[in-house]
Amino acid sequence: LRKRCQSLLQFHTSRKFSWLEAWKLVRAGLPLYGTNALAAIVFLPLLGEVAQTAGVEDVGYLRIGQLIVQLFTLLPGALIPLLFIKLRRNINKTSHIRDAEPSLRLIWCLGLTTLFVYIIIDHITVQLVFGQSFLPSLQPTRVLILAAVLDSANQVLHTPLLSSRRTGLFTIGQNSGAISAAALGAWLIPQYGLQGYLIAKFSFSVIPVIIYSVDA
């Protein structure tokens, strides 16, 4: 990586490479890497449990929902890095919250509006794009989109924490959602199949939002 990135890091060429500085950078990002890894460790087995309990068809319905959800994450995906850079320039916590509020309002309002519009046309859309046999994916897709809107709000809420290096609260918020999803999934999926997975997914999205909102 160091050799490959040498041409991209022109401003570092005059300085000797420092493994200590490299480790500091990696260590600063460990909470982010760790929470993403934990989420993957939680949800991959839950998907397997859905397939084993309810059948592969239900996993297919989830995949349809996940494909459509990608459309709802385009705006947050473009906005969050810009918001992070803006907030990183100012380390004042109160200012951080105030600066993040317009982005939060924008994503929340647009996300909910788009969700309501989609609910009106989703029956026709799924039938035209995927076919009649995928109509049972309508309800799971709606839940996944609502979870995606919450995830987007979650991203805006925790960006000030990351930009001010308050990684402790970030770790608590994200991991609390993942642990609750694991517990609910293990308990509910054997009984309710796909519905149990959706409840676990929704808890994963809503719990961090509640924690960050209380802090804000």
Side-chain angles (χ1 to χ4, degrees):
L1 285 173
R2 175 181 146 195
K3 185 175 179 181
R4 290 286 186 183
C5 294
Q6 194 68 35
S7 61
L8 302 175
L9 303 176
Q10 296 290 344
F11 51 90
H12 282 315
T13 53
S14 60
R15 297 172 57 189
K16 186 178 179 181
F17 180 83
S18 169
W19 287 106
L20 180 60
E21 288 185 16
W23 167 243
K24 286 180 180 178
L25 288 172
V26 172
R27 187 176 61 184
L30 282 178
L32 183 61
Y33 312 144
T35 54
N36 289 340
L38 181 60
I41 291 171
V42 165
F43 281 103
L44 286 176
L46 292 185
L47 274 174
E49 184 70 20
V50 171
Q52 185 176 4
T53 304
V56 179
E57 287 182 359
D58 281 2
V59 177
Y61 299 146
L62 281 176
R63 290 298 298 146
I64 294 295
Q66 288 167 344
L67 288 173
I68 295 174
V69 160
Q70 301 303 314
L71 299 175
F72 288 78
T73 60
L74 291 176
L75 177 63
L79 185 64
I80 295 303
L82 300 176
L83 179 62
F84 178 85
I85 293 172
K86 178 183 177 182
L87 296 177
R88 193 69 187 94
R89 294 171 181 165
N90 189 339
I91 60 173
N92 181 270
K93 180 185 174 185
T94 305
S95 176
H96 268 45
I97 296 171
R98 187 174 64 249
D99 291 344
E101 188 174 349
S103 302
L104 180 61
R105 289 178 182 274
L106 174 67
I107 286 179
W108 184 245
C109 293
L110 284 180
L112 288 182
T113 303
T114 311
L115 172 60
F116 291 141
V117 171
Y118 175 76
I119 288 174
I120 295 172
I121 64 171
D122 60 353
H123 189 279
I124 299 172
T125 303
V126 170
Q127 197 167 2
L128 286 176
V129 177
F130 300 106
Q132 183 81 18
S133 59
F134 281 97
L135 287 179
S137 69
L138 291 178
Q139 197 60 36
T141 300
R142 292 172 180 178
V143 175
L144 290 176
I145 291 174
L146 179 56
V149 174
L150 287 168
D151 287 338
S152 299
N154 176 20
Q155 284 183 298
V156 177
L157 286 168
H158 75 230
T159 297
L161 299 178
L162 293 177
S163 64
S164 57
R165 301 191 179 184
R166 296 178 63 206
T167 54
L169 182 59
F170 167 78
T171 303
I172 292 171
Q174 296 301 112
N175 290 344
S176 296
I179 292 170
S180 69
L184 287 171
W187 176 38
L188 296 175
I189 290 175
Q191 302 178 58
Y192 302 106
L194 179 59
Q195 288 77 16
Y197 178 90
L198 293 173
I199 293 172
K201 173 61 180 170
F202 189 77
S203 73
F204 174 78
S205 301
V206 76
I207 287 178
V209 169
I210 293 172
I211 292 175
Y212 300 143
S213 296
V214 169
D215 174 72

